[in-house]
C-alpha cells in the first residue's frame, strides 16, 4: 500500500484529500498543530520516519489582505515551508504535489492564463506563493505544482458560505462584477491531485512541473453569487433572491489588489492526466451542505 503524507489537512482541499484517501492508502494527515512546515527539523523528522511515496502540501497562508501586513509570516509559510517539504521529499525519493494559485499572475491578460505565461504577482500573497513554487521545483525533482483559483467547499470559509451568511441579514448585497475566474470545488482539486498520483502509480512518468486546474464556465464574482442564490432559492433555503448590486473593484477597496483575470487555461492537465475542469455548477446544486 502506498504511503501518502498530507500537510494542511484541515484546510479546504486538505480536508477533502484526507476524506478521499482514508482507507485507500497508508495515510498520515497533519494539520498545522501537528506539523509546522516552517520548522525544517520537524519536517525532516516526520518525513524521514514515515517515508511517504507521495507528499501532498495543502498547507498555506491564504489571507490575501492580511499578507500585506504579515509579510514575514506569509513568506515563511508559503516559501520556506514548501522548500522544507521539497528538500525532505527529495531525501526519501518521494513525489511532491503542491497547491499554488492564480495570484502568481498580474491578472490583466485578455485570455485565460496558461502555464507558459509570464508570472508577475502584484501582492505579498502572490509573491510568497511564487517563491514557494520555485523552491519546490528547485529542491524536489519529482514535483507537480497545481495552480488553482476561487476555491470553495463544504469545509472551511469561502465565498459561497459568505454569500449565504450575508443573505440572512441583508436584502441587498453588493458584489464585484469586473473580476473574472473559474470557481473551483475543493473536492475536485483533491480528485485532480489523486488522479495525478494514480497516473504515476500506473507506471507512467508525467511531465514534472506546473499545471493549471480550475472551474468552468468562467464567471464574474457577481455572476457566481447570482448562481449561488438561485440554487439557494431552488433548494428552498431562501424565500427569494436578495437584490444583487454589481460594483467595480474600485468601489470595493482592499489592502491587496485582486486580479481582474483569474481565468486559468486547463488544457495541459487534461491532456497529461485526463482531468477535466471542475464543474462548479454541478456542485452548487448541493447548496444545502453549505447552509
Amino acid at each position: 500500500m502506498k504511503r501518502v503524507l498530507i500537510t494542511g489537512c484541515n484546510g479546504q482541499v486538505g480536508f477533502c484529500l484526507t476524506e478521499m484517501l482514508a482507507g485507500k492508502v497508508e495515510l498520515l494527515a497533519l494539520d498545522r498543530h501537528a506539523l509546522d512546515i516552517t520548522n525544517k527539523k520537524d519536517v525532516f523528522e516526520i518525513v524521514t520516519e514515515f517515508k511517504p511515496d507521495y507528499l501532498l502540501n495543502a498547507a498555506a497562508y491564504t489571507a490575501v489582505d492580511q499578507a500585506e501586513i504579515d509579510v514575514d509570516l506569509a513568506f515563511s509559510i508559503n516559501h520556506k515551508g514548501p522548500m522544507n517539504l521539497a528538500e525532505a521529499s527529495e531525501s526519501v525519493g518521494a513525489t511532491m504535489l503542491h497547491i499554488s494559485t492564480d495570484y502568481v499572475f498580474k491578472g490583466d491578460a485578455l485570455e485565460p492564463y496558461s502555464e507558459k505565461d509570464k508570472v508577475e504577482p502584484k501582492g505579498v500573497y502572490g509573491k510568497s506563493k511564487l517563491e514557494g513554487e520555485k523552491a519546490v521545483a528547485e529542491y524536489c525533482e519529482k514535483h507537480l505544482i497545481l495552480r488553482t483559483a476561487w476555491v470553495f467547499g463544504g469545509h472551511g470559509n469561502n465565498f459561497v458560505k459568505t454569500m449565504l451568511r450575508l443573505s440572512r441579514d441583508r436584502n441587498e448585497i453588493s458584489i464585484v462584477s469586473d473580476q473574472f475566474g473559474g470557481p473551483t470545488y475543493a473536492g475536485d482539486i483533491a480528485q485532480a491531485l489523486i488522479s495525478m498520483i494514480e497516473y504515476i502509480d500506473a507506471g507512467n512518468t508525467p511531465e514534472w512541473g506546473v499545471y493549471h486546474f480550475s472551474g468552468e464556465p468562467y464567471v464574474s464574482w457577481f455572476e457566481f453569487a447570482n448562481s449561488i442564490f438561485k440554487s439557494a432559492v431552488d433548494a428552498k433555503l431562501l424565500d427569494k433572491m436578495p437584490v444583487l448590486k454589481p460594483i467595480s473593484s474600485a468601489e470595493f477597496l482592499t489592502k491587496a489588489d485582486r486580479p481582474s483575470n483569474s481565468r486559468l487555461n486547463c488544457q495541459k492537465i487534461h491532456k497529461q492526466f485526463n482531468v477535466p475542469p471542475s464543474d462548479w455548477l454541478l456542485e452548487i446544486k448541493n447548496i444545502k451542505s453549505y447552509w
Side-chain angles (χ1 to χ4, degrees), residues 167 170-173 222-234 238-244:
S167 72
R170 304 181 190 178
N171 294 320
E172 181 177 300
I173 304 173
F222 180 85
E223 292 167 325
F224 187 25
N226 193 57
S227 294
I228 292 166
F229 291 124
K230 280 186 176 179
S231 292
V233 171
D234 290 344
L238 297 175
D239 293 330
K240 62 178 181 178
M241 291 272 293
V243 176
L244 301 184

Side-chain angles (χ1 to χ4, degrees), residues 249-277:
S249 299
E251 295 175 90
F252 188 73
L253 297 177
T254 55
K255 288 186 178 69
D257 286 338
R258 262 58 175 182
S260 59
N261 178 21
S262 290
R263 296 174 298 161
L264 297 176
N265 183 318
C266 302
Q267 292 179 8
K268 182 181 176 184
I269 192 171
H270 185 262
K271 183 178 179 180
Q272 176 75 88
F273 298 103
N274 196 30
V275 172

Side-chain angles (χ1 to χ4, degrees), residues 12 40 48 52 56 61 82 89 94 104 128 146 148 162 168-169 186 190 200-201 205 221 236-237 245 249 271 274 276:
Q12 291 193 87
K40 187 173 183 176
T48 301
L56 286 76
Y61 184 106
S89 294
V104 300
S128 66
L146 192 69
T148 190
T162 298
R168 298 181 184 122
D169 305 320
I200 298 169
D201 257 1
T205 301
W221 287 114
K236 296 182 171 27
L237 299 177
K245 179 185 175 183
S249 299
K271 183 178 179 180
N274 196 30

Side-chain angles (χ1 to χ4, degrees), residues 17 20-21 54 56 97 144 146 187-202 204 206 213 269 272-276:
L17 279 168
M20 294 164 75
L21 288 174
Y54 300 95
L56 286 76
L97 295 90
L144 296 169
L146 192 69
D188 289 341
I189 299 172
Q191 184 55 59
L193 292 166
I194 292 171
S195 294
M196 290 172 144
I197 290 176
E198 290 173 344
Y199 178 90
I200 298 169
D201 257 1
N204 304 300
F213 177 77
I269 192 171
Q272 176 75 88
F273 298 103
N274 196 30
V275 172

Side-chain angles (χ1 to χ4, degrees), residues 165-179:
R165 175 175 53 80
L166 291 177
S167 72
R168 298 181 184 122
D169 305 320
R170 304 181 190 178
N171 294 320
E172 181 177 300
I173 304 173
S174 297
I175 310 290
V176 171
S177 61
D178 59 356
Q179 297 172 13

Side-chain angles (χ1 to χ4, degrees), residues 136-153:
V136 170
E138 179 178 354
Y139 292 102
C140 184
E141 179 184 358
K142 296 186 296 182
H143 68 275
L144 296 169
I145 297 168
L146 192 69
R147 291 180 186 146
T148 190
W150 293 22
V151 181
F152 72 95

Side-chain angles (χ1 to χ4, degrees), residues 39-52:
N39 187 315
K40 187 173 183 176
K41 179 175 178 291
D42 289 350
V43 167
F44 266 80
E45 282 183 358
I46 286 177
V47 172
T48 301
E49 181 178 350
F50 185 64
K51 290 184 173 59

